[in-house]
Structure formats: C-alpha cells, structure tokens
C-alpha cells in the first residue's frame, strides 16, 4: 500500500509542478477557449432571438415570406428586415468585442503593460486614420445605413448600376445578389445614392402602345377593365393596394400613341403585377378588336 500511495503522491506532485510551470500558457489557453465558447454562445443566442422575432411576426400575419405581409405591410416587413440586418451587424460586433477582450487578457498574462499599449495604440490609430480614411468612411457609413433603416437584409435595392437583393449588411461591406445570381460586394462608403424598392409601397407601370388613329377613350376603358379583372384574382389582388389609373397619353410619335397604366402595389410586388397584367391586356385588346402597335414593353429595373 505504501508503494501505491507513493506513486499517487508522485503523480499529484508532477501534476502540480506541471500546472505551476505552465500556468501562463494554460491560462492563455483557457482564455482563448472561453472566448471561442462565449462568442459561439452569444452569436447563437442573438440569431435565435432574431429568428424568433421574425417567425413571430410572420406567424401573426399568417405568411411564409416577408414580402407577403398584408396588414400594416410597411411596419411588419421593416421590423423583420431591420431585425435581420441588426442581427448580422450584431454578430460582427460580438466577435470583435470578444476578440478584443480576450486579446487584452492574454497580453495581461504575458505581463504586457496593457495601459501603455492602449495609449500607444491610440496614437498609432490616429496616425493610421489618415491612411485608412476609406475604411473609416465605410464603417461609419455602414453604421448610419443600418440605424437609419436605409436598407435591410432581404431588401431589393439599386446602388449605381447594381440592382439586387441584400444578402448581408456588414460593418464595411454590403453584399447584394443580382438577378443573374452574381454576388456584388459594395463598400458602404461608396454608397452615395441608394434606391430601396422594399420600403413603403411600389407602383406597377405598364405602357400600352396603339395606333395613333385608335379610339383612345376606348383604349383607356379596355385598359381599366383589364385591371379590374386582375383585381378579381385573389393571388394578384392581395399585392395591389390602390385603384388602377390611366395617366393618359404618355407619348405620341408618328402613327403610334402610348398610354400608361399605373397600379399602386405592396413593396416589391410591382413587377409581379406587371407580369400578371400583360397577358390580360393582350387578351382584352384582342377581344375588343384593338390592334396593339408593338409588343408591350417591360418597365426597366424589375426583378424576377
């Protein structure tokens, strides 16, 4: 028994010596491990909260997608998109915060004067700021875009010549998926003009071109009758929020005249309404014996 006790005592002594000898690396390893676990846990909690909020709003509206919301569409849809956007920004903020805190703790374990280092970093940062003005501009502009609700994850936006769906809003870069599947990376600091088709409401614009000698009053009547027929279709009617209007003759050139039909819709629904409206117009005009001068043009800037 004495031999066994001596072996156990030697093992515990060796283990204690190991902890004393390598206490600094072990503490650093513990800090890094805890930082990784904390980052994973906080990000998971944040995303679960975002998912719960989004699911709750959709369940209350009895819809599957954000764009289908009907009651108070602007408030509810923006609540979902803003929550998602803040979630993506929050994940990045959590990661950076955990990394910075963990780094400070690790440096403290290495007996580095953290106070002097922070002061030096401030001086160096001020110097780097002059050389990294674009990065600072990207970050600040990204923060303002999020908190001013200029865009959100899932929004259909136009930035310069790029149109697409916002997939991710980062601190420095916003990712936009184009209609052809191209993923565009847009620096936030370069966003000077931004068009958002997902806020408030949309408007379907359809131009109808006929022979100039056609009865334009009859053309207008058939156009409005076509729009009213479309309102009888539940799938399309829920996307329309205003009465159809014919704005009159939009243009006249040679032997052709173009009238414009306008229908107010829910956000991002204008292109679907345009697509649904065109076949009805073609059929109605054929039944009325009115010859369309050209193929019905598509309004530019639409999404799929």
């Amino acid at each position: 028994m004495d031999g066994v006790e001596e072996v156990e005592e030697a093992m515990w002594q060796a283990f204690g010596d190991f902890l004393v000898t390598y206490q600094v690396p072990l503490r650093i390893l513990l800090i890094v491990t805890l930082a990784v676990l904390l980052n994973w846990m906080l990000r998971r909690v944040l995303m679960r909260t975002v998912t719960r909020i989004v699911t709750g709003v959709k369940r209350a509206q009895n819809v599957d997608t954000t764009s289908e919301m009907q009651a108070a569409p602007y408030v509810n849809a923006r609540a979902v998109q803003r929550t998602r956007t803040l979630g993506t920004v929050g994940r990045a903020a959590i990661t950076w915060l955990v990394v910075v805190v963990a780094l400070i703790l690790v440096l403290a374990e290495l007996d580095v004067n953290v106070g002097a280092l922070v002061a030096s970093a401030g001086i160096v940062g001020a110097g780097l700021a002059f050389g990294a003005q674009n990065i600072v501009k990207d970050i600040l502009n990204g923060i303002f875009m999020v908190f001013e609700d200029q865009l959100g994850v899932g929004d259909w936006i136009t930035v310069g010549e790029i149109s697409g769906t916002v997939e991710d809003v980062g601190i420095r870069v916003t990712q936009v998926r184009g209609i052809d599947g191209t993923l565009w990376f847009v620096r936030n600091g370069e966003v000077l003009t931004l068009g958002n088709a997902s806020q408030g409401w949309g408007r379907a614009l359809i131009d109808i071109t006929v022979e100039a000698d056609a009865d334009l009053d009859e053309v207008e009547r058939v156009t409005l009758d076509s729009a009213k027929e479309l309102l009888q279709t539940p799938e399309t009617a829920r996307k329309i929020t205003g009465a159809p209007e014919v704005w009159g003759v939009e243009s006249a050139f040679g032997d052709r005249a173009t009238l414009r039909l306008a229908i107010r819709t829910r956000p991002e629904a204008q292109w679907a309404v345009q697509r649904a409206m065109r076949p009805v117009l073609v059929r109605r005009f054929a039944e009325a014996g009115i010859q369309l001068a050209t193929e019905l043009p598509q309004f530019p800037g639409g999404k799929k």
Side-chain angles (χ1 to χ4, degrees):
M1 292 295 294
D2 292 341
V4 174
E5 291 179 354
E6 289 179 357
V7 171
E8 290 180 352
E9 184 178 350
M11 291 177 60
W12 282 108
Q13 181 64 37
F15 181 69
D17 292 340
F18 174 79
L19 292 179
V20 172
T21 303
Y22 297 100
Q23 57 180 326
V24 173
L26 289 174
R27 283 203 294 265
I28 292 176
L29 179 61
L30 178 62
I31 291 172
V32 173
T33 302
L34 290 176
V36 172
L37 291 175
L38 182 62
N39 181 54
W40 174 82
M41 184 175 63
L42 290 177
R43 286 167 63 101
R44 184 174 177 82
V45 169
L46 176 64
M47 294 315 297
R48 288 188 65 179
T49 302
V50 169
T51 302
R52 191 169 301 172
I53 293 174
V54 171
T55 304
V57 174
K58 290 181 178 179
R59 187 183 297 115
Q61 299 299 318
N62 192 28
V63 297
D64 295 323
T65 61
T66 302
S67 60
E68 290 180 347
M69 293 180 179
Q70 299 179 48
Y74 177 76
V75 176
N76 291 316
R78 294 312 299 171
V80 168
Q81 291 161 339
R82 187 170 175 79
T83 300
R84 285 175 174 161
T85 304
L86 291 176
T88 59
V89 175
R91 283 185 301 172
I94 287 173
T95 299
W96 279 104
L97 179 62
V98 171
V99 168
V100 170
V101 172
L103 182 61
I104 292 175
L105 294 176
V106 168
L107 291 176
E109 291 296 330
L110 296 175
D111 293 330
V112 176
N113 190 336
V114 178
L117 186 64
V118 171
S120 300
I123 297 174
V124 174
L128 290 176
F130 290 99
Q133 293 182 26
N134 288 335
I135 296 178
V136 175
K137 180 181 177 182
D138 293 340
I139 294 174
L140 291 178
N141 204 35
I143 292 173
F144 282 121
M145 284 196 305
V146 170
F147 284 96
E148 291 177 359
D149 198 22
Q150 297 178 20
L151 77 170
V153 175
D155 283 356
W156 181 270
I157 67 170
T158 299
V159 180
E161 298 181 356
I162 299 172
S163 293
T165 303
V166 178
E167 288 199 350
D168 183 77
V169 181
I171 295 295
R172 196 178 70 86
V173 174
T174 295
Q175 298 180 26
V176 180
R177 179 74 63 177
I179 193 171
D180 61 351
T182 303
L183 183 61
W184 296 91
F185 294 84
V186 182
R187 284 177 44 199
N188 295 333
E190 297 300 315
V191 178
L192 302 179
T193 303
L194 185 149
N196 193 327
S198 303
Q199 292 193 11
W201 49 273
R203 177 176 282 137
L205 298 175
I206 304 171
D207 290 343
I208 303 104
T209 303
V210 297
E211 300 294 337
D213 58 357
D215 186 345
L216 297 184
D217 290 335
E218 178 68 8
V219 171
E220 182 173 341
R221 184 191 65 79
V222 174
T223 300
L224 288 176
D225 287 345
S226 302
K228 291 175 182 177
E229 177 183 330
L230 193 66
L231 286 171
Q232 304 304 315
T233 307
E235 183 179 354
T236 306
R238 64 189 179 86
K239 300 176 182 178
I240 298 174
T241 60
E245 300 176 308
V246 175
W247 286 355
V249 178
E250 184 69 17
S251 64
F253 181 78
D255 59 349
R256 297 177 181 179
T258 301
L259 285 77
R260 173 163 291 181
L261 171 66
I263 306 175
R264 183 162 171 166
T265 69
R266 292 186 295 104
E268 295 188 46
Q270 56 266 46
W271 302 293
V273 172
Q274 288 173 187
R275 288 193 296 270
M277 188 73 250
R278 291 189 181 103
V280 179
L281 285 169
V282 171
R283 177 172 54 80
R284 281 280 191 159
F285 272 78
E287 292 174 354
I290 301 175
Q291 180 66 38
L292 293 171
T294 59
E295 180 183 0
L296 293 174
Q298 293 189 358
F299 188 69
K303 63 183 287 191
K304 66 176 183 178

